[in-house]
Amino acid sequence: MHVPQIPQLTAADPQLAELIEGEARRQHDKLRMIASENYVSTAVLEASGTVLTNKYSEGYPGRRYYEGQQFVDPIETLAIERAKSVFGVAHANVQPYSGSPANLAVYLAFLSPGDTVMGMALPMGGHLTHGWSVSATGKWFNPVRYGVSRETGLIDLDEVRDLARRERPKVIFCGGTAVPRTIDFPAFAEIAREVGAILVADIAHIAGLVAGGAHPSPVGYADVITTTTHKTLRGPRGAMIMTTEQYAAPIDKAVFPGLQGGPHNHTTAGIAVALREASTDNFRRYAHQVVANARALAAALVERGFDLASGGTDNHLILADLTAKGVAGKPAAQALDRAGIELNYNTVPYDPRKPFDPSGIRLGTAALTTRGLTEEQMPQVAGWMDDAVTASIKDDDAALDRIAGEVADLLAGYPMPGYATA
Ligand code: DSN
């Protein structure tokens, strides 16, 4: 059952309560490997589901447009101070509704329509909001894009430098959604300084690893750091923007009143709790275990003939091209889901297939590490994945259902925050 329990909801709206209970059970029984997902703690769940959702608080602590902020002001201040302490930054804005609005605030703060912005191309591992064509950031600004080397799968920093020198972007984004390797913040900073650009590190995927010391920090290199709060950082769905003192005012003004109205105070409280958790030794161990698990899983997948972008991983994320396995990403992801292994189909660099039916799959170890799995189980996970991919080619639903049963049996021994077996 869902924890905290939902008896009032069950009485008031049994149809909805049943769906929520179903989702809780699904999250318990499945090996959740979508690289951008996790399990928040019960404390974060409790904070996110409070009466704070009733309150409007347009403005910032001490400077609001509505009365009655006696408790919301200290809550937002706690979240801000914890973000500053965990990441070692001068300024933090905890109000962006999610990652895309956080990145849009960067555009509003520093760019005018038509200005040049440089980011990693979406099919190479970047994010929509780093200037991809279907996004407002690609339609209203002048995007220039870098990628990864076809040979190594790594970002070609010489290409980035040449492009920056030629195009003189006002803002450069580094980071992305399918980057399995360490981001070289010092190198990006050197390029940005040379061309007079503002460097934005989008650490949405790796924020928890940065907080836990399992990935180098962009602090001291990036002028602005954007992140969601719900991936490796293990907080509620939300986002933060962290800056040096120099850029604090334009960013705050861009978030409110530039883009948003009132912050979601219940989410702010959840972020504050997650940041407190992220400051502990326990979280440091968690962050390092996430990386250790990803490395072990990548090695086991390579042993089974999976073709990994860049050959492996330095963080929580693995990107696999399934062409050599004889199946496309989408049917494989659907078969894996039936087999109790949840991940997403994904383009791989230089993918000849379309984004809605690409060659690859993307997976990560943030959530399974929260459940308590270690390197010991990773060969088994790779084996299940391999068997499921083979079963998908043979349309062997019985094999997929057998694997799903084995996955659920394993996970029954690993508690899930937010769920208890009745
Ligand atoms: N949807 C997020 C991800 O899965 O990486 C990025 O916005």
Side-chain angles (χ1 to χ4, degrees):
M1 78 194 77
H2 191 276
V3 177
Q5 290 182 42
I6 51 171
Q8 306 295 332
L9 181 60
T10 304
D13 192 340
Q15 189 184 6
L16 188 70
E18 198 180 319
L19 291 169
I20 292 172
E21 290 290 0
E23 172 63 11
R25 198 166 46 251
R26 190 194 70 78
Q27 291 189 13
H28 179 266
D29 290 347
K30 281 237 176 112
L31 199 49
R32 296 179 56 235
M33 298 181 73
I34 290 180
S36 45
E37 293 183 352
N38 210 329
Y39 297 94
V40 298
S41 69
T42 312
V44 169
L45 275 181
E46 284 184 357
S48 307
T50 59
V51 293
L52 293 170
T53 198
N54 297 339
K55 186 75 196 110
Y56 251 120
S57 309
E58 289 184 8
Y60 290 101
R63 295 175 286 136
R64 305 283 191 185
Y65 288 81
Y66 293 79
E67 297 311 315
Q69 310 297 340
Q70 291 84 355
F71 298 96
V72 167
D73 269 6
I75 287 168
E76 186 170 333
T77 303
L78 259 185
I80 291 168
E81 293 305 320
R82 287 175 183 174
K84 285 162 65 176
S85 160
V86 165
F87 289 96
V89 291
H91 180 77
N93 185 311
V94 298
Q95 294 194 3
Y97 298 144
S98 202
S100 296
N103 285 345
L104 286 179
V106 169
Y107 286 78
L108 187 60
F110 304 120
L111 298 167
S112 298
D115 280 349
T116 300
V117 59
M118 190 161 108
M120 194 176 199
L122 180 70
M124 294 281 176
H127 189 254
L128 281 165
T129 55
H130 298 179
W132 193 239
S133 48
V134 295
S135 151
T137 63
K139 289 180 193 285
W140 296 344
F141 299 89
N142 174 40
V144 294
R145 302 170 187 123
Y146 58 87
V148 295
S149 145
R150 196 185 273 273
E151 287 72 41
T152 63
L154 303 175
I155 293 171
D156 184 339
L157 286 159
D158 290 332
E159 184 204 329
V160 176
R161 187 178 300 102
D162 288 347
L163 199 60
R165 281 178 178 159
R166 197 167 62 241
E167 301 288 346
R168 312 300 291 188
K170 277 196 175 169
V171 166
I172 299 176
F173 276 92
C174 60
T177 62
V179 181
R181 294 296 181 176
T182 301
I183 299 165
D184 190 342
F185 297 121
F188 272 102
E190 201 183 295
I191 294 167
R193 301 290 173 268
E194 185 188 324
V195 301
I198 289 172
L199 179 64
V200 182
D202 180 343
I203 63 165
H205 265 265
I206 55 168
L209 307 184
V210 171
H215 187 289
S217 169
V219 176
Y221 300 104
D223 303 296
V224 178
I225 300 165
T226 62
T227 184
T228 49
T229 45
H230 47 269
K231 299 184 173 91
T232 50
L233 191 56
R234 224 161 53 174
R237 303 296 293 260
M240 307 192 293
I241 308 178
M242 299 176 277
T243 67
T244 55
E245 283 296 353
Q246 185 186 357
Y247 296 111
I251 283 293
D252 281 356
K253 214 169 139 199
V255 173
F256 174 84
L259 278 175
Q260 298 187 174
H264 295 173
N265 297 317
H266 53 302
T267 299
T268 307
I271 292 172
V273 176
L275 288 167
R276 184 185 162 103
E277 292 171 355
S279 69
T280 60
D281 286 343
N282 210 14
F283 192 86
R284 286 186 78 79
R285 278 191 291 278
Y286 164 71
H288 284 90
Q289 189 63 53
V290 168
V291 175
N293 283 351
R295 287 204 172 122
L297 180 57
L301 287 169
V302 167
E303 235 172 70
R304 287 178 169 274
F306 281 80
D307 176 11
L308 306 190
S310 82
T313 183
D314 296 327
N315 52 34
H316 65 301
L317 187 146
I318 296 168
L319 188 61
D321 182 347
L322 297 182
T323 308
K325 288 275 184 192
V327 62
K330 193 172 188 172
Q334 287 165 344
L336 282 155
D337 190 50
R338 179 161 182 161
I341 298 169
E342 184 193 2
L343 42 72
N344 66 281
Y345 58 87
N346 216 94
T347 51
V348 293
Y350 303 99
D351 203 327
R353 301 176 66 95
K354 297 254 181 290
F356 202 57
D357 185 20
S359 300
I361 50 174
R362 185 190 70 156
L363 51 138
T365 52
L368 63 78
T369 306
T370 298
R371 290 294 290 272
L373 270 59
T374 65
E375 296 98 312
E376 204 184 320
Q377 287 85 33
M378 294 306 114
Q380 171 73 83
V381 172
W384 279 326
M385 286 180 61
D386 198 15
D387 290 350
V389 166
T390 305
S392 78
I393 296 164
K394 296 183 186 156
D395 285 327
D396 186 352
D397 288 347
L400 298 176
D401 293 342
R402 176 186 50 77
I403 296 167
E406 290 172 10
V407 167
D409 284 349
L410 173 81
L411 291 174
Y414 294 88
M416 167 188 149
Y419 183 83
T421 37

